Amino acid sequence: NPFVHELHLSRLQKVKFCLLGALLAPIRVLLAFIVLFLLWPFAWLQVAGLSEEQLQEPITGWRKTVCHNGVLGLSRLLFFLLGFLRIRVRGQRASRLEAPVLVAAPHSTFFDPIVLLPCDLPKVVSRAENLSVPVIGALLRFNQAILVSRHDPASRRRVVEEVRRRATSGGKWPQVLFFPEGTCSNKKALLKFKPGAFIAGVPVQPVLIRYPNSLDTTSWAWRGPGVLKVLWLTASQPCSIVDVEFLPVYHPSPEESRDPTFYANNVQRVMAQALGIPATECEFVGSLPVIVVGRLKVALEPQLWELGKVLRKAGLSPGCVDAGAEPGRSRMISQEEFARQLQLSDPQTVAGAFSYFQQDTKGLVDFRDVALALAALDGCRSLKELISLAFELFAEEQAEGPSRLLFKDGFSTILHLLLGSPLPAATTLHAELCQAGSSQGLSLCQFQNFSLHDPLYGKLFSTYLRPPHTPRSTSPIPNASSPGSPTALANGTVPAPKQKGD
């Protein structure tokens, strides 16, 4: 799982970190924060007095010379104080005319902006919300960063246009740096590249980031040490080394220039090969890490498993709950009724379990969702019985004829509950499955063929719906390298590497 990082320390290493963490780390972190705030006057001075129209063009003259060199020097001092005593550079950085865009990977830590230093502070893409962060906001204005708002649908379109404008300016603008993975991993595999860096269809230069230290204290993955622990442990290291390698410029083919996703996938494979790690289909959708299996996105660790842990911790056996739900008809329940149905009294447990279900605008959940989740966690039903129950709960009566059909909303809900698929991800797959018939819905036979007998998706259902508390394993997470595991089923059948220490 590339989203998980476990740091295993020997007894001697723990003693060393305790001593250095008490003596070295506080001094380093304090001095680094002082330097960080010293960056603010240089960042402010470069943009002070300039209008929004003037900031739409690259800054030149004395502002560029004085402020750029000041920020560059203080930034290097900042990382030096945190323990990054050496930045080893390999290869040659291309000019802005040769490669208007730089793509850096693997993105594994909040220390990765150190790659901006050997790249001569290229422009970056950042969340618009970061403008309100003290000092960081000033540095983004200094950088003339391209800002994207996750809450504004039109923002992404403006970002695409701005990236294309700068990338095709003929060297007028400095290079733009992207971390195309979009989130941090444990650098054991490359996550799926997002197409934003490749939309302009111009040549890009891949940049590899390595931390060749004896102990990996820098990785900041979805599951693992938090920000403060990573910062403290890294500052406790006597010396941290960073390797930055510039690969040859990648010139896209005409087909790649027309298809940013195809372009991104090919660059990902080139960089993965140079790093000696797998290129995977793993990515983040919202706050959930997912992989691609055939035409479907599924969660690496379905929330159903997490729900099972919460209920078992509360001493609840799903099989003891009367989860009767009326087939084909929704019944919305509140959190209070949810607690009564599951016989839960602890408010924290109730809130935690209730949050696993999709809520409507009034904060209610469909009791059919609860019934199906409890049936899956019970483990007493066979896979065929569970699939039949899912169909019965969410299939709808036909206006004409006695048969019942599973339409896209019900299909998406089932896959979201059982496999952790993002709700919109199953719509296209449902349409493709319906093409075999003459209706807009799936019959029970078609749904069973998909979930039980399909060579790819059948294995996926049997893997994810194995009872999480089975005696064969103390962990609900299947071995990533086993043939039936979610990762092994991903496109390309490239297994994700094992967790550190396995």
Side-chain angles (χ1 to χ4, degrees), residues 36-47:
L36 180 63
F37 280 96
L38 288 176
L39 283 166
W40 180 82
F42 288 94
W44 173 82
L45 181 61
Q46 177 165 289
V47 298

Side-chain angles (χ1 to χ4, degrees), residues 67-370:
C67 299
H68 179 89
N69 291 333
V71 169
L72 185 62
L74 286 173
S75 298
R76 181 64 191 100
L77 177 60
L78 171 68
F79 284 102
F80 183 88
L81 291 172
L82 289 173
F84 294 95
L85 306 186
R86 297 181 63 189
I87 301 177
R88 302 189 302 204
V89 179
R90 301 174 183 175
Q92 183 68 39
R93 180 171 67 94
S95 69
R96 62 180 71 176
L97 282 173
E98 295 174 290
V101 175
L102 304 173
V103 288
H107 187 20
S108 63
T109 175
F110 49 81
F111 292 121
D112 282 341
I114 196 172
V115 77
L116 272 72
L117 304 182
C119 295
D120 196 31
L121 300 184
K123 307 306 179 184
V124 299
V125 179
S126 178
R127 293 186 304 162
E129 292 80 3
N130 289 336
L131 281 177
S132 60
V133 179
V135 182
I136 301 300
L139 289 172
L140 289 175
R141 293 186 184 91
F142 155 85
N143 184 261
Q144 292 181 279
I146 301 171
L147 301 175
V148 57
S149 173
R150 296 182 178 180
H151 307 295
D152 181 8
S155 173
R156 294 187 180 275
R157 185 182 67 254
R158 290 194 296 268
V159 167
V160 168
E161 294 171 354
E162 182 64 15
V163 169
R164 184 178 285 111
R165 182 177 77 90
R166 296 192 187 189
T168 57
S169 65
K172 180 181 177 181
W173 276 92
Q175 291 164 311
V176 182
L177 175 72
F178 283 85
F179 292 97
E181 293 172 289
T183 192
C184 292
S185 70
N186 60 11
K187 53 182 171 280
K188 299 295 185 180
L190 277 191
L191 306 182
K192 183 178 178 64
F193 280 11
K194 298 183 182 301
F198 309 92
I199 285 175
V202 298
V204 303
Q205 183 172 32
V207 184
L208 308 182
I209 311 173
R210 299 182 179 93
Y211 296 85
N213 304 295
S214 57
L215 186 64
D216 181 11
T217 62
T218 61
S219 289
W220 183 51
W222 175 65
R223 181 171 296 173
V227 174
L228 293 180
K229 186 173 182 180
V230 169
L231 177 63
W232 205 258
L233 289 176
T234 303
S236 300
Q237 290 270 60
C239 174
S240 295
I241 300 173
V242 181
D243 280 348
V244 177
E245 181 179 358
F246 294 97
L247 296 183
V249 175
Y250 190 104
H251 295 272
S253 66
E255 184 181 0
E256 288 171 330
S257 296
R258 291 190 298 269
D259 187 346
T261 300
F262 180 57
Y263 188 5
N265 291 341
N266 289 343
V267 173
Q268 181 204 28
R269 282 192 285 269
V270 168
M271 296 181 73
Q273 185 177 7
L275 290 162
I277 60 178
T280 72
E281 290 283 334
C282 298
E283 61 177 322
F284 254 81
V285 175
S287 60
L288 189 67
V290 303
I291 59 172
V292 177
V293 179
R295 302 286 293 174
L296 189 64
K297 292 180 179 180
V298 297
L300 271 175
E301 298 177 18
Q303 291 185 311
L304 184 67
W305 295 346
E306 294 296 326
L307 175 62
K309 293 177 185 177
V310 171
L311 296 182
R312 288 195 300 275
K313 187 176 180 180
L316 177 70
S317 173
C320 297
V321 179
D322 179 14
E326 188 174 351
R329 295 188 64 182
S330 62
R331 177 164 71 88
M332 309 306 292
I333 61 172
S334 64
Q335 185 169 310
E336 292 73 20
E337 188 175 353
F338 175 83
R340 288 196 300 271
Q341 289 283 351
L342 271 65
Q343 304 169 21
L344 297 173
S345 56
D346 179 53
Q348 187 174 358
T349 302
V350 172
F354 192 74
S355 67
Y356 285 106
F357 298 97
Q358 185 74 17
Q359 300 178 26
D360 65 8
T361 55
K362 297 180 180 179
L364 306 178
V365 302
D366 192 334
F367 190 60
R368 293 178 299 174
D369 296 6
V370 179

Side-chain angles (χ1 to χ4, degrees), residues 9-79:
L9 302 176
S10 66
R11 184 172 298 178
L12 180 61
Q13 287 172 326
K14 289 180 180 179
V15 172
K16 184 188 77 170
F17 274 110
C18 285
L19 292 175
L20 294 178
L23 300 174
L24 186 60
I27 298 174
R28 279 181 163 175
V29 172
L30 177 61
L31 291 176
F33 270 98
I34 292 174
V35 172
L36 180 63
F37 280 96
L38 288 176
L39 283 166
W40 180 82
F42 288 94
W44 173 82
L45 181 61
Q46 177 165 289
V47 298
L50 297 181
S51 65
E52 288 299 323
E53 291 74 17
Q54 290 174 308
L55 291 176
Q56 296 304 310
E57 298 297 328
I59 295 174
T60 57
W62 68 268
R63 292 175 184 265
K64 167 77 174 181
T65 304
V66 174
C67 299
H68 179 89
N69 291 333
V71 169
L72 185 62
L74 286 173
S75 298
R76 181 64 191 100
L77 177 60
L78 171 68
F79 284 102

